[in-house]
């Protein structure tokens, strides 16, 4: 480039043809143009007064004018007055020029150094061919003593002048400079402005570093920042100026922005040279080729910064994830099997007293919670995180809502002084608001605080995506903990309830398990988040599901299925059985078994003490004497209700009415 080829006056050709093709903002230099504009308008006035010549001005005045323009500690290095041929008598061309030196000023006729009228001399030729018909004419009335005169003259302003591109002024100042030219104008016979020459000021650029990079908004624009934004760095790079290069175009490098890396990883300087890019543009290289030659490469996914293509994201172990999905699929199938068995034996007392509708709701909620683990199988994203919260929290509200509402019914029956009737329909009405409120909360969460996937950096610097924890998460966790704590309270209130309702024992264990192990697993997950990696977190998510679903279902359903397996079958079509609401149903009989069964240890909601039924033909208490007469010695230590030898129901109670549970007595009396 010209800026690199020209270093001193000894190796240049006279003139101003050595230019740098730069587009720049000259606003910061506007104040320096006033000297050139005032001088040009003064000479335009002199031309009008001198009838088209400057013979009224001697040479020394013109030299004084250009020398005066460079006075002061400013960036103005030189000034010239270049006139059209024969405008000054005795001289075909004349160009007084003055510039600064270390000792003062040098003044000479620039026309003797090179032909300033050449088409290559931008500071002169550009205005010579310009149309100045829009230059306003100012009419002055001047009085000298008793003599008054009037004349019109063209008055130029900043818009009529011209800033050149940077050039090396060989034969003039012998430096790199930029020039502002203001037109010197005369008038023709029709008072139309005509070009007659220029008045210029030169700004020295030789020792100034060109900063072609974008302007930093943190600093004010200075007078030397006019070349800002003229770099050719591509979108994947950013411009960094190279200092101490002097006035040289391309004194910058294009370094890769964050998220991209330099293609040649072995290159010591990981950046594109601005001079190479500018030369490629000057040579007219293909645009698409430039985009590929001077572009940085995108970092691997998940990398904020990188130096090569080394992955930044943790790579999943597909075997672990597939195993987890398989186990969850098995759990869902098991829930379906349990649902079928529950429906098939829904009329057995062991199921009937546990309210099959709520057992089915628990299984449905368990399937929902299991689906949340399947949703988290792929890499976490905003969409995955949003879908995850719905089945997990909605399923939680259904599972533990059903458990607690059953326990609440037992608590009300055995702690109320009045007769209570709480059928499943009433409980469903009381349970419905819980999942409804959870749904409203999840809608608000999804719309107002949409879950997002965030990048987690491990101790090994590997990264992975995980669902963010916000106040929405903490709020719903808090509500769920309060729900479980309320369940603990309910379990405490029914701890002394008769064995007929001993399902409360298993509900208590389920609640304690959910609180203790659930909090432990969630805390462990947060502690291991930055060290264990996403595969371990996925396994912990499955473990969390086992705590809330698998163990709970086992505690609730295994005792019931064990009772069914052992043969504790209850016929609800006979008189005298006790309902889950605490009432004695008319028209039910005692249970029958094929063998001696101690129902107190089978998870059945009835025992040998609590299923003492009244005679089918009487609703009043049986005396002890009558009862003793009907008791057979062969029963021994077995229950007075079930004979291990005959398996037949006995019509009399072996326990006085006074020993029956209060609620059963009250229900019976009704």
């Amino acid at each position: 480039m010209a800026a690199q080829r020209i270093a001193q006056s000894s190796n240049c050709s006279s003139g101003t043809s050595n230019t740098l093709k730069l587009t720049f903002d000259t606003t910061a230099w506007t104040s320096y143009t006033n000297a050139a504009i005032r001088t040009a308008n003064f000479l335009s006035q002199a031309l009008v007064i001198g009838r088209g010549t400057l013979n009224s001005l001697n040479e020394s005045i013109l030299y004084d004018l250009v020398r005066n323009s460079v006075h002061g500690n400013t960036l103005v290095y030189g000034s010239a007055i270049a006139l059209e041929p024969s405008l000054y008598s005795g001289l075909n061309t004349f160009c007084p020029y003055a510039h600064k030196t270390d000792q003062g000023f040098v003044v000479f006729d620039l026309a003797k150094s090179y032909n300033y009228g050449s088409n290559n001399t931008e500071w002169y030729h550009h205005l010579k061919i310009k149309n100045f018909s829009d230059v306003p004419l100012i009419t002055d009335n001047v009085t000298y003593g008793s003599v008054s005169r009037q004349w019109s003259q063209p008055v130029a302003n900043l818009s009529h002048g011209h800033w050149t591109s940077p050039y090396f002024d060989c034969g003039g100042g012998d430096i790199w400079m930029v020039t502002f030219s203001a037109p010197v104008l005369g008038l023709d016979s029709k008072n139309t402005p005509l070009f007659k020459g220029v008045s210029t000021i030169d700004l020295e650029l030789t020792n100034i570093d060109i900063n072609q990079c974008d302007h930093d908004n943190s600093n004010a624009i200075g007078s030397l920042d006019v070349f800002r934004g003229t770099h050719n760095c591509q979108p994947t790079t950013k411009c960094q100026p190279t200092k101490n290069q002097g006035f040289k175009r391309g004194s910058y490098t294009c370094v890769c922005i964050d998220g991209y890396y330099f293609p040649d990883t072995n290159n010591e300087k990981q950046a594109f040279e601005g001079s190479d890019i500018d030369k490629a543009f000057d040579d007219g290289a293909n645009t698409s080729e430039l985009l590929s030659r001077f572009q940085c490469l995108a970092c691997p996914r998940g990398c904020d910064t990188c130096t090569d293509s080394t992955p930044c994201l943790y790579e999943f172990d597909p075997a672990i994830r597939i195993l987890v999905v398989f186990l969850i699929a098995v759990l869902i199938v098991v829930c379906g099997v349990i649902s079928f068995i529950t429906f098939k034996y829904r009329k057995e007392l062991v199921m009937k007293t546990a309210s099959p509708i709520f057992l089915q709701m628990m299984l449905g909620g368990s399937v929902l919670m299991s689906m949340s683990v399947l949703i988290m199988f792929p890499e976490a994203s905003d969409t995955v995180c949003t879908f995850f919260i719905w089945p997990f929290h909605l399923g939680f509200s259904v599972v533990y809502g059903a458990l607690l509402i059953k326990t609440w019914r037992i608590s009300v029956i055995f702690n109320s002084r009045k007769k209570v009737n709480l059928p499943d329909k009433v409980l469903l009405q009381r349970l419905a608001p819980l999942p409804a409120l959870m749904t409203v909360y999840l809608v608000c969460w999804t719309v107002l605080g949409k879950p997002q996937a965030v990048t987690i950096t491990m101790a090994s610097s590997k990264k992975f995506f995980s669902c963010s924890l916000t106040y929405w998460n903490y709020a719903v966790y808090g509500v769920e903990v309060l729900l479980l704590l309320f369940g603990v309270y309910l379990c405490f209130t029914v701890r002394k309830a008769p064995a007929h309702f001993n399902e409360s024992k298993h509900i208590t264990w389920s609640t304690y398990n959910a609180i203790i192990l659930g909090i432990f697993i969630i805390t462990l997950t947060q502690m291991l988040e930055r060290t264990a990696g996403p595969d371990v977190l996925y396994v912990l998510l499955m473990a969390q599901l086992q705590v809330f679903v698998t163990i709970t279902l086992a505690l609730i359903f295994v005792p019931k299925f064990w009772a069914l397996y052992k043969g504790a079958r209850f016929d609800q079509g006979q008189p005298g059985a006790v309902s889950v609401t605490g009432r004695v149903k008319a028209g039910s009989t005692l249970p029958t078994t094929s063998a001696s069964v101690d129902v107190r240890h089978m998870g059945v909601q009835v025992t040998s003490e609590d299923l003492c039924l009244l005679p089918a033909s009487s609703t009043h208490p049986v005396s002890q004497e009558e009862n003793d007469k009907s008791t057979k010695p062969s029963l021994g230590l077995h229950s007075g209700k079930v004979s291990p030898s005959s398996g037949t129901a006995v019509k009399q109670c072996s326990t006085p009415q006074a020993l029956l549970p209060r609620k059963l007595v009250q229900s019976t009396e009704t």
Side-chain angles (χ1 to χ4, degrees):
M1 294 182 299
Q4 295 169 317
R5 295 195 302 266
I6 306 300
Q8 53 187 9
S9 59
S10 59
N11 60 0
C12 71
S13 57
S14 297
T16 62
S17 59
N18 299 305
T19 62
L20 287 176
K21 299 301 180 181
L22 288 175
T23 303
F24 54 94
D25 183 7
T26 59
T27 304
W29 291 343
T30 300
S31 60
Y32 302 122
T33 64
N34 292 331
I37 295 173
R38 286 196 300 267
T39 299
N41 288 332
F42 170 77
L43 295 177
S44 297
Q45 184 183 39
L47 282 172
V48 173
I49 296 174
R51 299 182 183 277
T53 70
L54 294 177
N55 292 333
S56 60
L57 304 175
N58 57 40
E59 291 185 25
S60 62
I61 293 178
L62 298 180
Y63 281 114
D64 287 341
L65 286 174
V66 295
R67 183 169 55 84
N68 185 67
S69 295
V70 298
H71 265 299
N73 185 20
T74 67
L75 287 179
V76 177
Y77 169 80
S79 178
I81 296 175
L83 303 175
E84 282 286 87
S86 304
L87 194 63
Y88 200 79
S89 60
L91 296 173
N92 186 34
T93 59
F94 184 46
C95 183
Y97 182 67
H99 69 80
K100 294 176 181 178
T101 65
D102 294 338
Q103 291 76 32
F105 299 94
V106 173
V107 179
F108 60 93
D109 184 1
L110 190 62
K112 297 179 181 180
S113 298
Y114 64 82
N115 179 18
Y116 61 82
S118 167
N119 293 345
N120 293 329
T121 307
E122 182 184 356
W123 57 267
Y124 190 86
H125 180 72
H126 185 88
L127 292 183
K128 182 177 181 178
I129 61 176
K130 187 175 182 179
N131 183 3
F132 293 104
S133 59
D134 63 332
V135 176
L137 296 180
I138 303 298
T139 301
D140 292 331
N141 294 310
V142 181
T143 301
Y144 295 98
S146 59
V147 179
S148 295
R149 294 190 60 182
Q150 183 184 71
W151 63 78
S152 298
Q153 71 170 79
V155 178
N157 55 41
L158 180 64
S159 64
H160 301 121
H162 172 69
W163 281 104
T164 67
S165 298
Y167 66 95
F168 191 85
D169 188 29
C170 190
D174 290 327
I175 61 169
W176 280 97
M177 63 174 63
V178 62
T179 297
F180 175 79
S181 304
V184 176
L185 302 172
L187 295 174
D188 61 9
S189 58
K190 297 180 180 180
N191 283 341
T192 301
L194 297 176
F195 176 79
K196 294 297 182 177
V198 297
S199 172
T200 71
I201 53 101
D202 302 327
L203 303 183
E204 181 180 7
L205 301 176
T206 301
N207 298 319
I208 298 175
D209 284 335
I210 292 182
N211 189 345
Q212 295 178 246
C213 297
D214 296 325
H215 181 70
D216 184 358
N217 292 328
S218 61
N219 298 317
I221 298 177
S223 59
L224 302 180
D225 286 332
V226 294
F227 301 105
R228 294 276 195 164
T230 60
H231 64 87
N232 286 310
C233 290
Q234 298 306 300
T236 58
T237 61
K238 62 181 179 181
C239 178
Q240 287 187 350
T242 303
K243 296 182 179 180
N244 302 321
Q245 297 296 306
F247 191 76
K248 181 189 296 185
R249 184 189 179 204
S251 298
Y252 62 92
T253 57
C254 298
V255 298
C256 299
I257 61 176
D258 290 346
Y260 294 84
Y261 68 94
F262 193 71
D264 185 3
T265 57
N266 296 321
N267 194 329
E268 182 178 354
K269 189 172 185 179
Q270 298 286 293
F272 299 105
E273 291 289 348
S275 55
D276 295 336
I277 300 177
D278 288 349
K279 185 177 186 305
F281 274 94
D282 292 342
D283 293 342
N286 185 276
T287 303
S288 60
E289 180 187 357
L290 288 177
L291 293 177
S292 60
R293 281 177 56 192
F294 301 109
Q295 290 278 15
C296 291
L297 302 179
C299 290
R301 208 165 145 265
C303 298
D304 296 327
T305 60
C306 63
T307 56
D308 52 34
S309 59
T310 303
C312 294
L313 288 182
Y314 184 97
E315 296 182 3
F316 292 158
D317 187 341
I320 294 178
R321 293 189 166 249
I322 291 175
L323 177 60
V324 170
V325 169
F326 173 76
L327 295 177
I328 297 302
V330 170
L331 177 59
I332 293 175
V333 172
V334 170
C335 288
V337 173
I338 295 175
S339 176
F340 172 77
I341 295 174
T342 302
F343 177 78
K344 182 177 180 180
Y345 295 100
R346 65 190 182 280
K347 293 185 178 180
E348 298 293 339
L349 188 59
V350 67
M351 292 295 183
K352 186 76 172 179
T353 55
S355 299
I357 183 64
F358 292 106
L359 296 179
Q360 296 288 6
M361 290 179 63
M362 287 178 57
L363 292 169
S366 298
V367 172
L368 272 179
M369 295 183 71
S370 300
M371 294 298 295
S372 65
V373 179
L374 300 181
I375 290 174
M376 291 303 295
F377 176 81
E379 184 180 73
S381 64
D382 292 350
T383 302
V384 170
C385 293
T386 300
F387 279 107
F388 168 76
I389 64 174
W390 278 87
F392 185 86
H393 295 293
L394 194 58
F396 185 95
S397 67
V398 173
V399 172
Y400 287 92
L403 273 180
L404 299 187
I405 200 68
K406 284 153 56 70
T407 308
W408 174 80
R409 173 164 62 184
I410 298 173
S411 176
V412 170
I413 290 175
F414 285 95
N415 290 285
S416 175
R417 296 180 178 272
K418 300 178 181 180
K419 292 184 292 185
V420 178
N421 181 22
L422 291 173
D424 291 347
K425 182 178 179 180
V426 174
L427 293 191
L428 287 173
Q429 293 174 352
R430 294 179 180 271
L431 175 61
L434 181 59
L437 289 175
M438 181 61 72
T439 301
V440 172
Y441 183 84
L442 292 174
V443 169
C444 295
W445 187 354
T446 302
V447 175
L448 302 179
K450 185 177 180 180
Q452 296 180 337
V454 296
T455 303
I456 304 297
T457 303
M458 302 172 58
S460 62
S461 298
K462 289 289 186 179
K463 299 178 180 179
F464 66 93
F465 298 108
S466 178
C467 296
S468 62
L469 283 177
T470 64
Y471 62 89
W472 291 94
N473 298 83
Y474 297 124
V476 74
Y477 287 152
V479 170
E480 290 169 350
V481 169
L482 291 176
L483 185 66
L484 293 176
L485 291 176
F486 178 65
V488 172
Y489 165 75
L490 291 177
C491 293
F492 177 80
T493 63
V494 299
R495 69 191 185 282
K496 295 182 180 181
H500 177 69
F501 294 96
N502 67 358
E503 187 187 36
S504 59
K505 174 178 64 177
H506 304 102
I507 295 177
T508 301
W509 293 349
S510 300
T511 305
Y512 288 154
N513 166 75
I515 290 180
I516 298 173
L517 290 183
I519 292 178
F520 173 76
I521 293 294
I522 293 175
T523 303
L524 184 62
T525 300
Q526 298 305 313
M527 292 175 59
L528 297 179
E529 186 176 45
R530 297 186 178 275
T531 57
D535 289 332
V536 175
L537 296 183
Y538 194 55
V539 173
L540 289 175
L541 179 61
M542 182 195 66
Q544 182 179 338
L545 187 69
Q546 304 312 306
V547 170
F548 291 121
V549 174
T550 306
I551 298 178
T552 298
L553 295 181
L555 289 171
I556 298 300
F557 285 95
V558 168
K560 294 175 177 53
F561 291 169
W562 179 254
L564 290 175
Y565 174 75
K566 285 296 184 178
R569 313 295 282 267
F570 297 88
D571 185 1
Q572 295 299 308
Q574 302 300 326
V578 182
S579 76
V580 73
T581 63
R583 296 185 305 170
V584 175
K585 287 188 176 181
S588 60
T589 66
L590 292 170
T592 63
T593 62
S594 59
S596 177
V597 179
D598 185 355
V599 293
R600 289 175 295 181
H601 298 87
M602 298 191 306
V604 185
Q605 298 196 72
V606 291
T607 69
S608 57
E609 289 78 20
D610 296 322
L611 270 181
C612 177
L613 303 180
L614 301 176
S617 61
S618 173
T619 58
H620 60 78
V622 180
S623 67
Q624 182 66 38
E625 181 179 355
E626 293 173 334
N627 194 42
D628 292 340
K629 292 180 181 180
S630 62
T631 303
K632 297 181 181 181
S634 62
L635 291 178
L637 297 177
H638 291 282
S639 169
K641 296 185 284 282
V642 180
S643 170
S645 59
S646 63
T648 59
V650 180
K651 297 297 183 178
Q652 300 295 334
C653 289
S654 62
T655 304
Q657 184 182 3
L659 299 180
L660 286 172
R662 180 186 305 168
K663 295 300 183 292
L664 296 185
V665 174
Q666 293 176 350
S667 297
T668 301
E669 291 175 346
T670 61

